[in-house]
Amino acid sequence: LFETSPLIVSYRERPFRLRYPDGAELRSYTPAFELVLRSGEAVFVEVRYWRQPLDTHASQDLMEIHGLGQVAAHLRRSATPLVLLTDQVVRAQPRLAALKSIYRHAPRRIPSAPAATAAAASLQTLLPNRIDVVTERLAPTGVDVYSLLLSGLLICALDASVTQSTTVHLSQEAGHDWFHISQEHGF
């Protein structure tokens, strides 16, 4: 999910050990992930298994249940949020399968931002259209449709498998945030 989001510039797994006060004791905690968002903001992410459906207060309840409340409070003092994602959010289908498909099809060498922007602009009269048609049109540019999806310049529905017949559209979002992993946390 982090690799496919155009709102996330980079991420690190288990970035460092944090020491925080818990009453009279000094404890340590290692965040599961550190994200750097396009806005420049750093966010720490913890991923936990949760068996029950979440309600509006369950995220906070889960923080307390897993002893993350003190860590979250310590990080709030340094203006760095700790976001809890559950397996239900991370594994949400069919979104996860669609994003995995896009990621697998994208080349490892991503086109430059100017090349991607120019390629997307050249599609304005063609879109919306199917991936196979867009792929054929993009061939002379050296930019592929999946890279444009990963950059957020193109969008598609994530409620079904992504195939050659999937329709893509130009992104109308100013920040290219065509999907969110966690809507409430802005990424």
Side-chain angles (χ1 to χ4, degrees), residues 54-120:
L54 294 176
D55 63 27
T56 57
H57 302 291
S59 181
Q60 183 61 37
D61 294 343
L62 194 55
M63 285 279 206
E64 298 302 325
I65 289 169
H66 288 286
L68 296 175
Q70 292 294 328
V71 173
H74 177 72
L75 289 171
R76 270 193 302 275
R77 287 190 289 274
S78 64
T80 305
L82 175 65
V83 174
L84 181 67
L85 298 178
T86 67
D87 60 315
Q88 293 172 334
V89 171
V90 172
R91 295 180 181 158
Q93 294 294 354
R95 178 188 72 175
L96 181 60
L99 291 171
K100 281 183 177 182
S101 176
I102 291 168
Y103 185 74
R104 272 194 310 273
H105 285 91
R108 294 302 135 225
R109 179 170 266 207
I110 296 174
S112 68
T117 302

Side-chain angles (χ1 to χ4, degrees), residues 3-8 38 99 102-103 106 110-120 143-155 169-171 173-179:
E3 291 169 343
T4 57
S5 174
L7 299 174
I8 298 172
R38 190 173 358 156
L99 291 171
I102 291 168
Y103 185 74
I110 296 174
S112 68
T117 302
V143 176
D144 69 290
V145 66
Y146 298 102
S147 292
L148 295 178
L149 285 165
L150 289 178
S151 70
L153 293 168
L154 295 182
I155 62 173
H169 306 264
L170 276 174
S171 175
E173 299 294 328
H176 305 302
D177 50 343
W178 66 288
F179 77 91

Side-chain angles (χ1 to χ4, degrees), residues 98-145:
L99 291 171
K100 281 183 177 182
S101 176
I102 291 168
Y103 185 74
R104 272 194 310 273
H105 285 91
R108 294 302 135 225
R109 179 170 266 207
I110 296 174
S112 68
T117 302
S122 75
L123 298 172
Q124 286 189 347
T125 59
L126 180 68
L127 296 178
N129 218 319
R130 297 165 27 126
I131 285 179
D132 57 352
V133 173
V134 175
T135 298
E136 187 176 316
R137 174 69 71 86
L138 287 173
T141 69
V143 176
D144 69 290
V145 66

